[in-house]
Amino acid sequence: MIDVLFVSSKTFPMSAVADTVRKLGAEGARAVYGGSVSDSWMEEVTEGAGFADTHQLPRKDGRAAVGLPRGEQVWLRCRSDSWLRSHARKAHVLVALDDGAVYTVWQLAQRNRTAKAVYGFAPALNAVRDLVRQGGPKRHGAFLPPASLALRDFGRALKRLPESTERVLTPRPLMRRNVGGKLWRIPLRAPGLSDKFRARIARRVAESMYWAGKPSGGAYALGLAASKMSDLAVKAKLLDDVMRQEFKRGVTSPHTNQAVQALLELADRQYAAGELDEAAVNLNRALVVGFHRVTHIDQLSSPLAADPRKFVKRFHRSAALQAVQAPQGRERPAAPAPTGRPLRLLVTTSANDNFLHHILDRYRAHPGVEVRYLDLAAQNSLKRITGSDWRIIQTKLGGDDEYAEAVEALMRPHLDWADTVFVDWCAGPVAMLSTIDPGDTRMVVRLHSYEALTRWPQMVDFSRVDDLVFVAEHVQDLTVAQTPHLRGAHAPRMHVLHNAMKLSGFAREKTPDARFNIGLVGVSQVAKDPLWAVEVLRALRAQDDRYRLVLVGGDMDRRASRATKKYRDRMEKELAPLVASGEVVRTGPTDDVEGELTDIGFILSSSVREGSHNGLMEGAASGAVPVVRDWPFYAGKPHSARTLYPEGWVVDSPEAAARRILQVNATEESWQQDAKLASEHALSTWDWAVVHADFDRLFLGDRA
């Protein structure tokens, strides 16, 4: 049997192909068709042309082969298609039916060296008849371009135009072989090449390495080329491209420091030259790369948390960032709270009001307060200016008066109405608001744990903030250590206030078996590190197989980042057999955490970092005995989990956690006593009935 593969990127006369397929069948050939065509046309071909098999080839390429000839674009779309590769490997005749398919057929012929490659219906029929006259087709060889051909073409290509060099370097099969890995290093390291030429080769090589399933090789190619660059702008762009790809993969890149340094140097050079728009873009990129969530939020460690002053030192040497951080102050101080009318309190956030409900409820009902609530994400105009991070920088550099004017126009009515503005989350909205003078309106900002690991504190003019509220002392320490303008004369007043939580409803009677159930409330982030809790369970069950781990809440969103996806995939693999055996119970999302906690006798905090861990506090209030990991981001520092929680709650390892649980649970009476003490501490320390007095003093002062 002679196998014939037809390929097209366009439609063709149905009668002609049907006639050709019929004649090929009469010669003993089997014809199949792959087309990068519309679905409707593929249906017509499948029903009316008589092919033994048909297949829809990809029609769109998300990798954007912009500027390449149409034939190469078709090849880049289809080169990874398994159906096409399988049939090309065993084909005796390869047929292009239009000019857009010629390059694809040529590439396939370089891999299947025994096949005849032709263009058109008649040549296809003639090729089959020739094979019949020769006694049949030859035995197939390897489906790869010979290394000798690639090396010979490479040697010639270096003497030709850049486009030729790039094409020789890019075949995916070649990149999968050691010879390909050695081959592409030559032009990237070669002396005497222009930066533009070297960058062009590097990008083409990196693109091919990514397609070949070697992303680290693609990143290395760009990084290697960047290290040879004298043009700072080209170097910074290459390294920024590296970081974009690495962050998509969810990895902490070894090129991060190089990229940050190049972007900062470029921003400083542009700032000194008065190129403020360009400086703002590159400074923003330096901050985005340096403080990216893949490095600090979606990992189990962070260089920023490990040594904040060292981490930010290179940023603070930047003249452009120094200009952004220069305190602008305000023309007049905030006015004192009014005495003849209620305090006008504007509460604002952007899309996340998770920690505001009890605060809003209290002050809406308070006779001495008039409340307005503003969600900046609910209005398109406000949402746009809040999300324009590089324009915030551009404004602070002095290059975008229009942005500040837009902020002024949109926010001034709210600022003029309010006596006090309370902004929850020290992120984009605070940076945006600090581009304008608030007048005599008092500005109060609350910073949770998350923002301390982002670039936002570096972009806020804190001389325009009156009060900065932290949820815990260790979060305050981390933020102040990395933010010099929180240590100077223009720093705002700083407070530590617990989150607003109503805990009294959690104190319910436990089920009989609760003391053998270990609970973890909230597993939706990598920082929660539920696999640490699994280690606690294993240590417990080695002593007593009555213990179970109960995971309460929704799962991590794989779409959050590739790093999150990697952690969750590993977690699912470890949890699957434990769930099947009943050792782990997953409740999923719930609106009744209080009810779920009635079946939990011990509450874990397995996190690597937390602000205050509300889930643990709720568990403690319910009468579950707390067992807290000494959060690694803060362990050993002046303030940490050990200073936030009572002595004895915090442990160093899964084994120590298991020992605490076994000791407390030696008898039911012992467990009940510890559970009672935990509940009393939680209700007397963190319940809104206690904490609201701190917020009254913050907002109302002597009037509280």
Side-chain angles (χ1 to χ4, degrees):
M1 176 69 71
I2 299 173
D3 287 306
V4 182
L5 170 62
F6 287 83
V7 181
S8 84
S9 66
K10 301 177 184 177
T11 59
F12 44 79
M14 189 66 69
S15 58
V17 72
D19 182 59
T20 302
V21 171
R22 180 180 55 77
K23 291 177 180 178
L24 289 172
E27 297 289 345
R30 176 179 178 271
V32 298
Y33 167 72
S36 182
V37 294
S38 67
D39 293 337
S40 58
W41 176 253
M42 181 59 71
E43 290 179 8
E44 291 186 41
V45 173
T46 301
E47 294 174 0
F51 286 112
D53 190 15
T54 59
H55 177 69
Q56 173 72 67
L57 295 173
R59 286 178 290 153
K60 292 183 179 180
D61 180 26
R63 294 175 293 246
V66 177
L68 291 178
R70 174 176 170 77
E72 289 194 49
Q73 293 185 33
V74 173
W75 167 242
L76 293 179
R77 290 200 299 265
C78 303
R79 61 194 300 180
S80 302
D81 187 271
S82 59
W83 184 95
L84 181 66
R85 292 174 63 83
S86 173
H87 283 280
R89 182 180 287 108
K90 61 188 179 184
H92 303 106
V93 180
L94 300 164
V95 185
L97 292 181
D98 59 80
D99 55 358
V102 169
Y103 186 73
T104 294
V105 166
W106 178 83
Q107 284 281 4
L108 295 175
Q110 299 305 301
R111 289 147 178 77
N112 182 351
R113 308 291 288 182
T114 60
K116 291 179 175 289
V118 299
Y119 178 21
F121 298 117
L125 188 56
N126 291 336
V128 169
R129 288 170 175 167
D130 287 344
L131 288 175
V132 172
R133 285 195 294 269
Q134 294 168 9
K138 297 179 181 179
R139 188 170 63 88
H140 291 300
F143 189 67
L144 282 173
S148 59
L149 174 65
L151 289 168
R152 184 177 70 248
D153 287 349
F154 175 75
R156 292 173 179 170
L158 277 179
K159 300 177 182 178
R160 298 178 186 167
L161 297 174
E163 290 84 352
S164 300
T165 307
E166 293 164 355
R167 290 193 183 98
V168 171
L169 288 168
T170 57
R172 180 175 179 177
L174 178 63
M175 289 310 204
R176 283 179 169 163
R177 304 172 66 192
N178 288 336
V179 66
K182 294 176 181 177
L183 189 62
W184 59 255
R185 288 179 173 86
I186 298 173
L188 299 182
R189 287 176 173 159
L193 297 179
S194 71
D195 285 348
K196 288 186 177 180
F197 182 22
R198 197 189 306 273
R200 186 171 185 170
I201 295 174
R203 287 196 175 94
R204 189 64 178 261
V205 169
E207 185 180 49
S208 300
M209 294 296 286
Y210 292 134
W211 291 343
K214 293 186 175 182
S216 60
Y220 181 78
L222 294 175
L224 176 61
S227 70
K228 305 294 182 182
M229 296 287 172
S230 57
D231 187 322
L232 182 57
V234 177
K235 178 179 182 177
K237 182 64 172 65
L238 273 182
L239 289 168
D240 195 19
D241 289 346
V242 172
M243 298 312 303
R244 291 177 191 273
Q245 291 293 337
E246 297 288 77
F247 289 144
K248 285 181 182 177
R249 294 173 55 217
V251 300
T252 302
S253 174
H255 301 282
T256 302
N257 290 340
Q258 291 174 272
V260 168
Q261 192 59 41
L263 288 163
L264 287 174
E265 289 179 9
L266 181 58
D268 284 351
R269 179 181 297 180
Q270 291 165 334
Y271 174 63
E275 299 168 356
L276 301 184
D277 293 0
E278 295 83 354
V281 170
N282 286 301
L283 178 56
N284 186 56
R285 282 303 303 165
L287 291 168
V288 169
V289 169
F291 290 85
H292 202 279
R293 65 171 297 146
V294 166
T295 306
H296 306 287
I297 305 259
D298 296 333
Q299 304 289 349
L300 299 179
S301 63
S302 160
L304 171 57
D307 192 340
R309 295 200 183 208
K310 179 181 178 182
F311 181 83
V312 298
K313 191 174 182 179
R314 57 186 168 173
F315 291 97
H316 295 158
R317 285 196 297 259
S318 163
L321 186 58
Q322 289 171 17
V324 168
Q325 294 181 335
Q328 298 300 307
R330 51 201 300 169
E331 289 187 8
R332 56 189 185 276
T339 56
R341 59 171 173 79
L343 175 80
R344 292 173 180 169
L345 176 64
L346 174 68
V347 179
T348 184
T349 188
S350 181
N352 189 340
D353 63 352
N354 294 346
F355 301 99
L356 289 174
H357 301 300
H358 299 316
I359 295 172
L360 287 169
D361 288 346
R362 175 168 181 77
Y363 295 110
R364 280 170 173 160
H366 196 294
V369 182
E370 183 181 350
V371 174
R372 285 185 183 178
Y373 174 66
L374 176 64
D375 183 352
L376 294 166
Q379 298 181 28
N380 288 334
S381 56
L382 290 171
K383 185 177 181 180
R384 280 195 298 272
I385 62 168
T386 302
S388 299
D389 47 2
W390 76 272
R391 292 194 69 187
I392 294 171
I393 293 176
Q394 186 183 30
T395 300
K396 291 174 180 284
L397 289 177
D400 190 356
D401 293 336
E402 290 183 3
Y403 179 80
E405 290 170 1
V407 175
E408 179 76 26
L410 289 167
M411 293 303 302
R412 182 56 57 190
H414 300 289
L415 293 173
D416 285 347
W417 174 85
D419 299 307
T420 297
V421 175
F422 177 57
V423 189
D424 204 22
W425 302 94
C426 185
V430 181
M432 175 268 290
L433 277 169
S434 72
T435 61
I436 63 172
D437 188 329
D440 63 357
T441 302
R442 181 183 174 208
M443 302 297 296
V444 182
V445 174
R446 181 165 61 173
L447 188 150
H448 297 262
S449 176
Y450 159 80
E451 309 96 285
L453 296 168
T454 71
R455 68 192 188 280
W456 295 115
Q458 308 300 322
M459 296 169 59
V460 173
D461 185 349
F462 284 104
S463 70
R464 289 175 166 172
V465 174
D466 297 288
D467 296 88
L468 183 58
V469 178
F470 298 94
V471 297
E473 290 175 313
H474 57 273
V475 176
Q476 178 179 354
D477 293 346
L478 174 59
T479 308
V480 172
Q482 64 171 290
T483 317
H485 39 296
L486 288 178
R487 303 194 294 269
H490 296 280
R493 295 180 293 268
M494 289 184 248
H495 316 265
V496 175
L497 275 67
H498 296 302
N499 274 320
M501 296 180 289
K502 286 190 176 179
L503 299 177
S504 56
F506 285 85
R508 301 183 184 181
E509 185 178 353
K510 298 288 185 182
T511 59
D513 295 329
R515 70 189 185 100
F516 294 102
N517 291 335
I518 316 303
L520 180 60
V521 177
V523 292
S524 60
Q525 303 172 42
V526 172
K528 302 296 183 182
D529 198 13
L531 290 176
W532 192 90
V534 172
E535 292 304 310
V536 175
L537 176 69
R538 287 177 174 143
L540 284 170
R541 289 182 64 85
Q543 303 295 321
D544 188 333
D545 61 10
R546 288 178 292 178
Y547 285 98
R548 297 189 308 166
L549 175 63
V550 181
L551 302 178
V552 180
D555 292 320
M556 297 174 198
D557 185 354
R558 287 188 173 93
R559 298 168 297 179
S561 76
R562 190 67 180 269
T564 300
K565 180 182 182 301
K566 286 182 177 181
Y567 186 98
R568 182 173 172 188
D569 288 347
R570 183 161 62 94
M571 180 186 78
E572 295 295 343
K573 184 176 180 180
E574 290 205 32
L575 287 181
L578 300 176
V579 172
S581 66
E583 297 171 51
V584 173
V585 176
R586 304 175 76 170
T587 69
T590 179
D591 293 326
D592 184 22
V593 177
E594 297 95 326
E596 297 289 351
L597 285 168
T598 60
D599 198 33
I600 291 173
F602 289 84
I603 186 72
L604 283 180
S605 176
S606 58
S607 306
V608 293
R609 60 173 174 83
E610 287 286 352
S612 55
H613 203 170
N614 291 8
L616 181 99
M617 293 174 173
E618 292 169 349
S622 79
V625 177
V627 181
V628 183
R629 180 184 188 180
D630 195 3
W631 304 323
F633 276 43
Y634 302 105
K637 297 184 177 179
H639 296 103
S640 65
R642 293 189 180 278
T643 56
L644 180 63
Y645 297 125
E647 184 178 358
W649 286 21
V650 183
V651 296
D652 293 321
S653 66
E655 294 74 23
R659 286 195 298 271
R660 168 166 165 74
I661 292 169
L662 291 168
Q663 181 181 2
V664 169
N665 217 12
T667 65
E668 185 172 359
E669 292 75 15
S670 173
W671 167 72
Q672 287 177 340
Q673 178 63 25
D674 275 58
K676 180 175 181 292
L677 291 173
S679 181
E680 289 174 350
H681 180 84
L683 293 172
S684 64
T685 307
W686 303 311
D687 187 46
W688 182 232
V690 176
V691 172
H692 79 259
D694 295 328
F695 280 87
D696 285 352
R697 282 188 289 272
L698 174 69
F699 293 136
L700 299 171
D702 295 338
R703 297 172 56 190

